[in-house]
Amino acid sequence: IWNQAGTQTTGTVPVTIGGTVSGSGSATWTGAVSSDWNTAGNWSGNAVPGSGDTAVIPGATPNDPVLSNAVLSNETIVVDQVGQQPGNTLDLNGVTLGAGSMLDTRNPSGNSQDVASINLGGTVTIDAGATVVTSGAGLYQGLNATGADAVLVNDGTIDNTAVSFGNGGTVVNNGGFAN
């Protein structure tokens, strides 16, 4: 072991192994424990996805995921609702999609009942280099500002997305590209 002064010494180094997929994998939401995104027991393999990982959110889980006060970096979230009833949601509260991140809720089946809503609360930021893609049509699809405090700041790309703002007081800052 080398200390800060560059002198070799002996001792121990504490190591903590976290419950992340470790930057190169995929984790599937089970919602078995709660709605808390950061609870390892809610994910396949008992591991919360982290930077470089893909988080898959299927329909028909006991609890819909809620991600709060987080900054994602180079992560992909795939909301896969094929064959599910409308009303499945992903709640993002005070979340920043950092560069390299993608939120993908495209509808692979073409059925308008198969796509989840992404509910926004607090300030949700899409940084430059981040992308949100949905199928963008229908009542149960797209980004929905659910609280009076919801603010969407887009410096990235929003592609083919329906954006619904209600409850008054909702602000949209669109410095990025929206298609």
Side-chain angles (χ1 to χ4, degrees):
I1 299 173
W2 298 90
N3 65 21
Q4 284 183 324
T7 306
Q8 185 175 5
T9 184
T10 60
T12 61
V13 177
V15 176
T16 302
I17 306 298
T20 63
V21 180
S22 74
S24 62
S26 177
T28 300
W29 176 262
T30 65
V33 176
S34 67
S35 291
D36 184 4
W37 182 280
N38 293 306
T39 298
N42 285 323
W43 294 96
S44 62
N46 203 36
V48 177
S51 181
D53 292 331
T54 297
V56 178
I57 313 299
T61 60
N63 297 292
D64 290 332
V66 176
L67 178 60
S68 298
N69 304 318
V71 177
L72 303 181
S73 175
N74 198 33
E75 293 177 51
T76 299
I77 300 173
V78 177
V79 183
D80 182 5
Q81 300 289 273
V82 175
Q84 302 306 317
Q85 294 299 312
N88 294 311
T89 63
L90 166 62
D91 291 351
L92 301 176
N93 301 306
V95 172
T96 297
L97 296 177
S101 294
M102 174 183 259
L103 173 58
D104 185 350
T105 64
R106 286 177 280 193
N107 182 358
S109 72
N111 180 342
S112 66
Q113 300 299 305
D114 286 348
V115 179
S117 292
I118 309 302
N119 294 326
L120 309 179
T123 299
V124 175
T125 303
I126 303 165
D127 280 347
T131 304
V132 174
V133 182
T134 75
S135 53
L139 177 62
Y140 301 108
Q141 304 174 43
L143 304 176
N144 302 302
T146 56
D149 68 338
V151 177
L152 175 62
V153 177
N154 177 31
D155 291 318
T157 301
I158 300 176
D159 189 13
N160 197 27
T161 300
V163 181
S164 168
F165 296 98
N167 300 319
T170 300
V171 176
V172 179
N173 299 320
N174 190 16
F177 177 78
N179 182 7

